[in-house]
Amino acid sequence: MNIFLSIIIPCFNCGKLMSRCIESLQRQTCQDFEVIFVDDYSTDKTIEVVESIEDKRVRLVKSPENGGACKARNIGIENAKG
């Protein structure tokens, strides 16, 4: 049975933690997943860090405004394939 997971991570000014988060996800036994980072209008280097990740399973969706974690999760759900 194939399992495909969509992992949605709302992020706001958490560029310093992104690499560690991705490394943790890549070490999981289940490798059939996508990671959708939803940037909630960050003002730090969050976008640059996520865009520098060379993994086809990682996507970045930018929120048009700072709407909070709930709105960011909903945007992620709308863009999820799993």
Side-chain angles (χ1 to χ4, degrees), residues 18 22 37 39 45-55 58-62:
M18 290 288 115
I22 286 296
F37 285 102
D39 179 66
K45 297 200 179 278
T46 298
I47 292 173
E48 291 87 348
V49 172
V50 175
E51 288 178 338
S52 72
I53 298 167
E54 295 181 9
D55 189 329
V58 175
R59 291 193 291 143
L60 173 68
V61 177
K62 299 175 189 173

Side-chain angles (χ1 to χ4, degrees), residues 2-50:
N2 283 345
I3 299 174
F4 186 77
L5 302 173
S6 293
I7 302 164
I8 300 166
I9 303 175
C11 49
F12 176 74
N13 289 345
C14 51
K16 293 179 181 179
L17 304 172
M18 290 288 115
S19 296
R20 191 169 146 196
C21 177
I22 286 296
E23 289 169 8
S24 174
L25 289 167
Q26 290 171 330
R27 286 192 301 263
Q28 301 303 307
T29 48
C30 174
Q31 291 292 305
D32 196 11
F33 63 82
E34 69 176 342
V35 180
I36 303 169
F37 285 102
V38 183
D39 179 66
D40 196 26
Y41 219 70
S42 294
T43 56
D44 69 349
K45 297 200 179 278
T46 298
I47 292 173
E48 291 87 348
V49 172
V50 175

